[in-house]
Amino acid sequence: MAANASVCLSFDFDAISVWLGSLNATSPSAISRGEFGAVATERLLEMLARWEIKSTWFIPGHTIDTYPDLVRRVADAGHEIGHHNYCHENPISLSLDDEKRVLDRGTGTQRPKPHRMKSAMKFRRRAFPEVCQRQAQDRS
Ligand SMILES: [Zn+2]
């Protein structure tokens, strides 16, 4: 009997943004750890292609601005792109207006437009549903 199982694979390609945005780190050591995200993304894309697996990638706008060709390769390989703020900001530390600005800025840089949204740091606040709904209407 064949097994019938489903698996959801998602990746956060945060790169430098998680160190700058969420952790306020500016040391070369922290930044270099973020830069490894691009190396890991290359490796993951090769592995996913080899196994013919599609996945979801949550990518902040800052990462898209920093690695546009690599992000394009993720999209061109057929993986789903998810919104992940602009610089992986912690929404708990933002006012409602600032949170809306961060979500809009993250989308403004994203090519292609994200299919899903996941708040960085796993926190969802008041702006999240409103901005998600408005951006979904803008895409249709
Ligand atoms: Zn993340």
Side-chain angles (χ1 to χ4, degrees), residues 10-26:
S10 70
F11 303 92
D12 283 22
F13 181 17
D14 296 327
I16 301 163
S17 70
V18 71
W19 299 100
L20 295 176
S22 299
L23 302 173
N24 273 338
T26 56

PDB file of all heavy atoms in Angstrom, residues 10-26:
ATOM      1  N   SER A  10       8.238  25.567   3.765  1.00  0.00           N
ATOM      2  CA  SER A  10       8.366  27.003   3.589  1.00  0.00           C
ATOM      3  C   SER A  10       9.712  27.446   4.141  1.00  0.00           C
ATOM      4  O   SER A  10      10.254  26.828   5.062  1.00  0.00           O
ATOM      5  CB  SER A  10       7.212  27.758   4.249  1.00  0.00           C
ATOM      6  OG  SER A  10       7.297  27.690   5.643  1.00  0.00           O
ATOM      7  N   PHE A  11      10.222  28.487   3.525  1.00  0.00           N
ATOM      8  CA  PHE A  11      11.530  29.013   3.918  1.00  0.00           C
ATOM      9  C   PHE A  11      11.419  30.507   4.148  1.00  0.00           C
ATOM     10  O   PHE A  11      10.669  31.184   3.450  1.00  0.00           O
ATOM     11  CB  PHE A  11      12.562  28.749   2.801  1.00  0.00           C
ATOM     12  CG  PHE A  11      12.703  27.296   2.442  1.00  0.00           C
ATOM     13  CD1 PHE A  11      11.947  26.740   1.425  1.00  0.00           C
ATOM     14  CD2 PHE A  11      13.566  26.484   3.151  1.00  0.00           C
ATOM     15  CE1 PHE A  11      12.058  25.399   1.102  1.00  0.00           C
ATOM     16  CE2 PHE A  11      13.689  25.137   2.840  1.00  0.00           C
ATOM     17  CZ  PHE A  11      12.931  24.598   1.809  1.00  0.00           C
ATOM     18  N   ASP A  12      12.154  31.015   5.109  1.00  0.00           N
ATOM     19  CA  ASP A  12      12.308  32.454   5.305  1.00  0.00           C
ATOM     20  C   ASP A  12      13.663  32.837   4.720  1.00  0.00           C
ATOM     21  O   ASP A  12      14.702  32.449   5.255  1.00  0.00           O
ATOM     22  CB  ASP A  12      12.297  32.821   6.794  1.00  0.00           C
ATOM     23  CG  ASP A  12      10.906  32.802   7.402  1.00  0.00           C
ATOM     24  OD1 ASP A  12      10.020  32.130   6.857  1.00  0.00           O
ATOM     25  OD2 ASP A  12      10.735  33.467   8.437  1.00  0.00           O
ATOM     26  N   PHE A  13      13.624  33.577   3.607  1.00  0.00           N
ATOM     27  CA  PHE A  13      14.867  34.097   3.038  1.00  0.00           C
ATOM     28  C   PHE A  13      15.018  35.529   3.572  1.00  0.00           C
ATOM     29  O   PHE A  13      14.752  36.496   2.899  1.00  0.00           O
ATOM     30  CB  PHE A  13      14.809  34.054   1.510  1.00  0.00           C
ATOM     31  CG  PHE A  13      16.047  34.549   0.800  1.00  0.00           C
ATOM     32  CD1 PHE A  13      17.257  34.688   1.453  1.00  0.00           C
ATOM     33  CD2 PHE A  13      15.986  34.877  -0.539  1.00  0.00           C
ATOM     34  CE1 PHE A  13      18.389  35.149   0.795  1.00  0.00           C
ATOM     35  CE2 PHE A  13      17.108  35.337  -1.225  1.00  0.00           C
ATOM     36  CZ  PHE A  13      18.310  35.477  -0.544  1.00  0.00           C
ATOM     37  N   ASP A  14      15.416  35.617   4.840  1.00  0.00           N
ATOM     38  CA  ASP A  14      15.519  36.913   5.528  1.00  0.00           C
ATOM     39  C   ASP A  14      16.849  37.602   5.271  1.00  0.00           C
ATOM     40  O   ASP A  14      16.934  38.826   5.348  1.00  0.00           O
ATOM     41  CB  ASP A  14      15.329  36.727   7.032  1.00  0.00           C
ATOM     42  CG  ASP A  14      13.946  36.220   7.388  1.00  0.00           C
ATOM     43  OD1 ASP A  14      12.980  36.575   6.685  1.00  0.00           O
ATOM     44  OD2 ASP A  14      13.836  35.457   8.359  1.00  0.00           O
ATOM     45  N   ALA A  15      17.885  36.823   5.041  1.00  0.00           N
ATOM     46  CA  ALA A  15      19.233  37.354   4.786  1.00  0.00           C
ATOM     47  C   ALA A  15      19.620  38.380   5.850  1.00  0.00           C
ATOM     48  O   ALA A  15      19.496  38.122   7.050  1.00  0.00           O
ATOM     49  CB  ALA A  15      19.348  37.897   3.376  1.00  0.00           C
ATOM     50  N   ILE A  16      20.040  39.544   5.425  1.00  0.00           N
ATOM     51  CA  ILE A  16      20.541  40.566   6.340  1.00  0.00           C
ATOM     52  C   ILE A  16      19.406  41.238   7.110  1.00  0.00           C
ATOM     53  O   ILE A  16      19.589  41.726   8.222  1.00  0.00           O
ATOM     54  CB  ILE A  16      21.345  41.618   5.537  1.00  0.00           C
ATOM     55  CG1 ILE A  16      22.504  40.950   4.802  1.00  0.00           C
ATOM     56  CG2 ILE A  16      21.857  42.731   6.431  1.00  0.00           C
ATOM     57  CD1 ILE A  16      23.098  41.796   3.695  1.00  0.00           C
ATOM     58  N   SER A  17      18.210  41.231   6.537  1.00  0.00           N
ATOM     59  CA  SER A  17      17.107  41.995   7.116  1.00  0.00           C
ATOM     60  C   SER A  17      16.770  41.585   8.539  1.00  0.00           C
ATOM     61  O   SER A  17      16.421  42.428   9.360  1.00  0.00           O
ATOM     62  CB  SER A  17      15.863  41.884   6.233  1.00  0.00           C
ATOM     63  OG  SER A  17      15.311  40.584   6.295  1.00  0.00           O
ATOM     64  N   VAL A  18      16.858  40.305   8.842  1.00  0.00           N
ATOM     65  CA  VAL A  18      16.507  39.871  10.201  1.00  0.00           C
ATOM     66  C   VAL A  18      17.468  40.462  11.222  1.00  0.00           C
ATOM     67  O   VAL A  18      17.071  40.813  12.333  1.00  0.00           O
ATOM     68  CB  VAL A  18      16.446  38.326  10.291  1.00  0.00           C
ATOM     69  CG1 VAL A  18      17.828  37.703  10.201  1.00  0.00           C
ATOM     70  CG2 VAL A  18      15.751  37.903  11.581  1.00  0.00           C
ATOM     71  N   TRP A  19      18.718  40.621  10.827  1.00  0.00           N
ATOM     72  CA  TRP A  19      19.711  41.187  11.760  1.00  0.00           C
ATOM     73  C   TRP A  19      19.517  42.688  11.902  1.00  0.00           C
ATOM     74  O   TRP A  19      19.630  43.239  12.990  1.00  0.00           O
ATOM     75  CB  TRP A  19      21.133  40.856  11.283  1.00  0.00           C
ATOM     76  CG  TRP A  19      21.332  39.380  11.232  1.00  0.00           C
ATOM     77  CD1 TRP A  19      21.270  38.582  10.121  1.00  0.00           C
ATOM     78  CD2 TRP A  19      21.541  38.510  12.336  1.00  0.00           C
ATOM     79  NE1 TRP A  19      21.440  37.270  10.475  1.00  0.00           N
ATOM     80  CE2 TRP A  19      21.613  37.196  11.832  1.00  0.00           C
ATOM     81  CE3 TRP A  19      21.679  38.709  13.714  1.00  0.00           C
ATOM     82  CZ2 TRP A  19      21.812  36.091  12.652  1.00  0.00           C
ATOM     83  CZ3 TRP A  19      21.885  37.614  14.530  1.00  0.00           C
ATOM     84  CH2 TRP A  19      21.950  36.327  13.991  1.00  0.00           C
ATOM     85  N   LEU A  20      19.220  43.372  10.787  1.00  0.00           N
ATOM     86  CA  LEU A  20      19.027  44.818  10.833  1.00  0.00           C
ATOM     87  C   LEU A  20      17.671  45.189  11.419  1.00  0.00           C
ATOM     88  O   LEU A  20      17.569  46.075  12.271  1.00  0.00           O
ATOM     89  CB  LEU A  20      19.129  45.417   9.419  1.00  0.00           C
ATOM     90  CG  LEU A  20      20.474  45.310   8.721  1.00  0.00           C
ATOM     91  CD1 LEU A  20      20.373  45.853   7.297  1.00  0.00           C
ATOM     92  CD2 LEU A  20      21.541  46.059   9.505  1.00  0.00           C
ATOM     93  N   GLY A  21      16.610  44.535  10.940  1.00  0.00           N
ATOM     94  CA  GLY A  21      15.258  44.936  11.296  1.00  0.00           C
ATOM     95  C   GLY A  21      14.764  44.421  12.629  1.00  0.00           C
ATOM     96  O   GLY A  21      14.249  45.183  13.438  1.00  0.00           O
ATOM     97  N   SER A  22      14.902  43.135  12.860  1.00  0.00           N
ATOM     98  CA  SER A  22      14.344  42.550  14.083  1.00  0.00           C
ATOM     99  C   SER A  22      15.290  42.661  15.263  1.00  0.00           C
ATOM    100  O   SER A  22      14.865  42.827  16.395  1.00  0.00           O
ATOM    101  CB  SER A  22      14.025  41.072  13.867  1.00  0.00           C
ATOM    102  OG  SER A  22      13.074  40.920  12.858  1.00  0.00           O
ATOM    103  N   LEU A  23      16.568  42.535  14.988  1.00  0.00           N
ATOM    104  CA  LEU A  23      17.524  42.434  16.086  1.00  0.00           C
ATOM    105  C   LEU A  23      18.366  43.689  16.276  1.00  0.00           C
ATOM    106  O   LEU A  23      19.177  43.751  17.199  1.00  0.00           O
ATOM    107  CB  LEU A  23      18.428  41.215  15.853  1.00  0.00           C
ATOM    108  CG  LEU A  23      17.661  39.888  15.740  1.00  0.00           C
ATOM    109  CD1 LEU A  23      18.597  38.754  15.347  1.00  0.00           C
ATOM    110  CD2 LEU A  23      16.943  39.573  17.049  1.00  0.00           C
ATOM    111  N   ASN A  24      18.194  44.685  15.403  1.00  0.00           N
ATOM    112  CA  ASN A  24      18.968  45.930  15.499  1.00  0.00           C
ATOM    113  C   ASN A  24      20.473  45.687  15.584  1.00  0.00           C
ATOM    114  O   ASN A  24      21.184  46.434  16.258  1.00  0.00           O
ATOM    115  CB  ASN A  24      18.521  46.778  16.685  1.00  0.00           C
ATOM    116  CG  ASN A  24      17.377  47.688  16.343  1.00  0.00           C
ATOM    117  OD1 ASN A  24      17.166  47.990  15.171  1.00  0.00           O
ATOM    118  ND2 ASN A  24      16.635  48.110  17.353  1.00  0.00           N
ATOM    119  N   ALA A  25      20.937  44.655  14.955  1.00  0.00           N
ATOM    120  CA  ALA A  25      22.362  44.333  14.988  1.00  0.00           C
ATOM    121  C   ALA A  25      23.054  45.010  13.807  1.00  0.00           C
ATOM    122  O   ALA A  25      22.524  45.035  12.703  1.00  0.00           O
ATOM    123  CB  ALA A  25      22.569  42.830  14.904  1.00  0.00           C
ATOM    124  N   THR A  26      24.207  45.575  14.047  1.00  0.00           N
ATOM    125  CA  THR A  26      24.952  46.219  12.965  1.00  0.00           C
ATOM    126  C   THR A  26      26.388  45.706  12.876  1.00  0.00           C
ATOM    127  O   THR A  26      27.160  46.206  12.067  1.00  0.00           O
ATOM    128  CB  THR A  26      24.980  47.747  13.165  1.00  0.00           C
ATOM    129  OG1 THR A  26      25.532  48.021  14.454  1.00  0.00           O
ATOM    130  CG2 THR A  26      23.593  48.342  13.042  1.00  0.00           C
TER     131      THR A  26
END
